[in-house]
Amino acid sequence: MQKIKTALLSYGMSGKVFHAPFLNFHPGFDLIGSWERSKKLLHQDFPALKSYASLAEVLQDDIDLVVVNTPVATHYQYAKQVLEAGKHAIVEKAFTTTVAQAKELMAIAKDKNVKLSVFQNRRWDSDFKTVQQIISDKVLGKIVEAEIHFDRYNPLLSPKLHKEIVSDGSGILKDLGPHIIDQALCLFGLPNSVFADIRITREYSLVDDYIDLLLYYANFRVRLKAGFFVREANPAYVIHGEKGSFLKPRGDVQEDELKLEYKPNLETWGTEPIEKQGLLHSEINGEIIREIVPTLQGNYFDFFDGVYHSIVNNSPEPVTAQEGVQVIQIIEAALQSNAQKRVIDL
């Protein structure tokens, strides 16, 4: 099996939790090392890997694929250097801070004939995959409205300074927002227009920590919400159609289990607890049904497997740069809408 030599650009939470376990588990990747700055944590988990002192060292090494998992404001700068060096790249969300930057990266990847994918792992959450299947099966009839929430209760400021200092990449719109925006685009495509309410709700916060986005489609609406003052969670997904409704709590276990250092597998990984199953209340074949729906299995492995095949077999990336551009289009429209207090056409 062809091995793709891979390096991370940081080994903090994202490198340790979301990337290294799957790159180490997938037989097609050879994790070579990570760029580390002040904290040298890589060798606690992987004593044999390289700890790079700079991005230049990474790019000078025999590396095929680089994971740009640094703060959002650095994504464009680092990804550009990676692509111009002829390396394939995975860039975490938010892809970039502007549409112009995202389009430039896409053009560089095309010019260099390398693969560029955005790490939108929440497409492979168990809860979202189940919602996607419900909509695909058309058991709700024509969609009338939908809501996707990424709610938390955490009034305290993050100890990660880059998340709380005002910059082009900080704030909940570019942190949790890309997850639910990307999910909406996966389900329904690009909307016609956007209206947004973006607020600061936590004491002493300098960056936005509440978003309420309304996406306008021709015959239905999709609301996207995220905030830090939701002690009693709403359903993460509420889908209403002409024939029925589907309500699903956020139940994916992968992040929690990865933080506990559980190792991924292909059999039981990403299996939700039964109590998190969704409720389907609809009319199917003339009969009204109201029943609990088994949750599909989630697995972030599938993202990395898609990246592998995109490089080795020249198949499409699991999340394309163009899809990354569209997420940033929504974010830019949301910022403009909030500033001008009006609906923005795309």
Side-chain angles (χ1 to χ4, degrees), residues 63-337:
I63 298 293
D64 305 308
L65 169 68
V66 177
V67 180
V68 182
N69 59 321
T70 51
V72 173
T74 68
H75 286 180
Y76 165 73
Q77 173 192 351
Y78 293 159
K80 183 176 181 179
Q81 293 179 64
V82 167
L83 296 171
E84 287 180 337
K87 315 288 188 183
H88 306 289
I90 295 170
V91 182
E92 282 201 339
K93 57 79 195 167
F95 183 22
T96 56
T97 60
T98 69
V99 170
Q101 290 175 350
K103 288 183 175 180
E104 183 182 349
L105 293 181
M106 186 167 64
I108 295 171
K110 182 178 180 180
D111 179 63
K112 293 291 186 177
N113 194 30
V114 293
K115 295 293 184 176
L116 172 60
S117 189
V118 183
F119 186 61
Q120 289 286 6
N121 59 309
R122 299 294 177 179
R123 291 190 188 186
W124 289 270
D125 277 357
S126 53
D127 39 42
F128 176 70
K129 288 180 66 178
T130 306
V131 170
Q132 198 172 32
Q133 186 65 57
I134 288 289
I135 292 176
S136 176
D137 289 345
K138 302 185 185 303
V139 294
L140 305 178
K142 289 183 179 180
I143 301 301
V144 175
E145 63 172 322
E147 288 190 22
I148 304 177
H149 289 247
F150 207 133
D151 297 323
R152 294 174 173 176
Y153 185 81
N154 186 7
L156 301 178
L157 301 187
S158 173
K160 299 178 180 179
L161 293 181
H162 69 269
K163 290 197 171 190
E164 301 294 351
I165 295 173
V166 177
S167 74
D168 290 340
S170 59
I172 198 172
L173 179 62
K174 292 180 180 175
D175 184 18
L176 299 182
H179 288 313
I180 53 180
I181 293 170
D182 182 72
Q183 289 185 341
L185 298 185
C186 280
L187 294 174
F188 306 114
L190 198 66
N192 299 322
S193 51
V194 177
F195 181 77
D197 181 22
I198 304 171
R199 300 165 54 201
I200 295 175
T201 60
R202 295 170 302 161
E203 189 176 11
Y204 306 120
S205 179
L206 301 175
V207 301
D208 58 270
D209 54 22
Y210 169 96
I211 55 172
D212 184 357
L213 278 56
L214 187 61
L215 309 185
Y216 290 74
Y217 293 83
N219 299 309
F220 60 94
R221 303 288 182 263
V222 177
R223 171 161 261 120
L224 309 176
K225 296 192 69 175
F228 288 104
F229 284 103
V230 184
R231 194 185 288 272
E232 184 65 31
N234 299 290
Y237 305 90
V238 179
I239 317 294
H240 298 300
E242 291 182 349
K243 290 188 176 182
S245 304
F246 184 63
L247 279 66
K248 176 75 180 72
R250 188 169 299 282
D252 190 85
V253 299
Q254 294 181 82
E255 180 175 347
D256 289 340
E257 294 190 346
L258 289 165
K259 286 178 177 177
L260 294 172
E261 301 189 9
Y262 292 4
K263 303 303 180 186
N265 63 72
L266 296 181
E267 290 75 41
T268 59
W269 185 258
T271 302
E272 273 190 23
I274 293 176
E275 60 269 20
K276 295 290 188 177
Q277 291 179 344
L279 173 66
L280 174 64
H281 188 179
S282 190
E283 178 184 344
I284 301 176
N285 297 325
E287 180 182 356
I288 303 298
I289 60 100
R290 188 176 188 274
E291 61 187 25
I292 299 300
V293 175
T295 304
L296 297 179
Q297 185 177 347
N299 203 333
Y300 300 154
F301 175 91
D302 293 338
F303 169 83
F304 293 95
D305 195 49
V307 169
Y308 179 82
H309 286 288
S310 75
I311 294 172
V312 173
N313 301 320
N314 197 31
S315 58
E317 299 91 335
V319 183
T320 66
Q322 178 58 37
E323 290 171 323
V325 169
Q326 291 180 343
V327 171
I328 306 303
Q329 282 183 290
I330 300 295
I331 289 175
E332 282 195 353
L335 290 169
Q336 186 181 355
S337 172

